[in-house]
Amino acid sequence: MNEKAKKYVDLFRKVKIASAATVDQDGHPRSRIINVMISTDEGMYIVTSKGKPFYEQLIRTGEIALSSMCPDCQSLKFYGKIKKVDKQWVDKVFEENPGMNEVYPGDTRYILDAFLIYEGSGEWFDLLHYPISRETFSYGTEEERAGFEITDSCIGCGSCREVCPQKCIQEGSPYRIDPAHCLQCGACKETCPADAVRKLHC
């Protein structure tokens, strides 16, 4: 795991509380609050019990999406692949999170299984300061690209630059959007008379 990804994985652990989204067997979105129990160079570890729909959805799809709010109002989001790991990780979770012993005393902890989010891509987003800032990160896979880019069809009229609420578009041939400060609102695409702004799909 590279240094940038480790910084944000550790931040997920520091914040600890996250919303975890999955898809049920009928294709409907489901979400619940979980704790990120351990962060390592391999990824993030969580636990859940076998009786929960969350468990079944993780086993069936092998996918999870997390979102969390940092103390200074920055947001974190992450989409990744997940797999069940050895039972020893349940013990490690209880060692690093001793409060779990009150919820699952003694051997009752073994109704839980531990899961590792072993690869994925995420984003840190600061909407509190101007200009806004965002940074993508990933481990085990390539970073996802989102937002918009200006293609060679650009005619240099400057319409996109005028309407950008964060003033993150620079002149050039073609003009260029700075993704670190882009709201991804789409005003540039709506305004461009040459249809030169392309939406990036993750």
Side-chain angles (χ1 to χ4, degrees):
M1 184 182 297
N2 63 43
E3 186 176 340
K4 182 171 65 168
K6 189 66 167 67
K7 176 176 72 172
Y8 290 117
V9 164
D10 288 345
L11 186 54
F12 262 114
R13 168 59 180 161
K14 181 179 179 181
V15 175
K16 196 170 184 180
I17 299 171
S19 171
T22 51
V23 177
D24 69 17
Q25 62 185 6
D26 297 317
H28 301 304
R30 301 295 178 185
S31 181
R32 75 285 296 158
I33 300 298
I34 66 162
N35 289 339
V36 176
M37 296 295 189
I38 298 175
S39 65
T40 70
D41 286 339
E42 287 72 45
M44 294 177 277
Y45 289 84
I46 65 170
V47 293
T48 190
S49 57
K50 296 178 180 179
K52 294 184 178 181
F54 182 38
Y55 184 102
E56 297 172 2
Q57 291 155 20
L58 294 178
I59 293 292
R60 182 174 54 82
T61 68
E63 298 179 312
I64 190 170
L66 302 178
S67 58
S68 190
M69 182 66 73
C70 302
D72 297 325
C73 292
Q74 296 93 4
S75 67
L76 276 171
K77 66 178 183 179
F78 189 86
Y79 162 75
K81 301 293 183 66
I82 191 166
K83 63 183 179 182
K84 189 173 73 169
V85 293
D86 293 341
K87 216 67 170 179
Q88 65 180 356
W89 282 99
V90 173
D91 292 327
K92 291 181 181 179
V93 163
F94 276 68
E95 289 171 12
E96 294 201 21
N97 303 268
M100 290 290 291
N101 288 287
E102 297 179 10
V103 184
Y104 292 97
D107 287 346
T108 65
R109 71 174 64 177
Y110 297 117
I111 195 61
L112 298 169
D113 273 322
F115 289 80
L116 169 63
I117 306 172
Y118 62 91
E119 69 173 44
S121 185
E123 181 184 69
W124 170 88
F125 184 39
D126 183 358
L127 193 60
L128 190 62
H129 302 94
Y130 182 87
I132 64 95
S133 297
R134 64 189 340 131
E135 185 171 43
T136 58
F137 63 96
S138 68
Y139 60 89
T141 187
E142 294 183 5
E143 290 184 13
E144 293 183 346
R145 295 181 66 208
F148 298 84
E149 68 178 2
I150 301 172
T151 69
D152 289 338
S153 300
C154 173
I155 59 175
C157 68
S159 297
C160 58
R161 193 165 184 259
E162 291 176 9
V163 300
C164 178
Q166 292 291 305
K167 306 303 178 190
C168 69
I169 299 178
Q170 290 91 43
E171 292 184 25
S173 182
Y175 276 48
R176 181 184 175 277
I177 301 169
D178 182 355
H181 302 298
C182 176
L183 277 172
Q184 300 178 4
C185 66
C188 53
K189 180 172 176 58
E190 293 292 324
T191 305
C192 179
D195 196 26
V197 182
R198 178 172 61 193
K199 186 173 184 178
L200 300 171
H201 294 284
C202 297

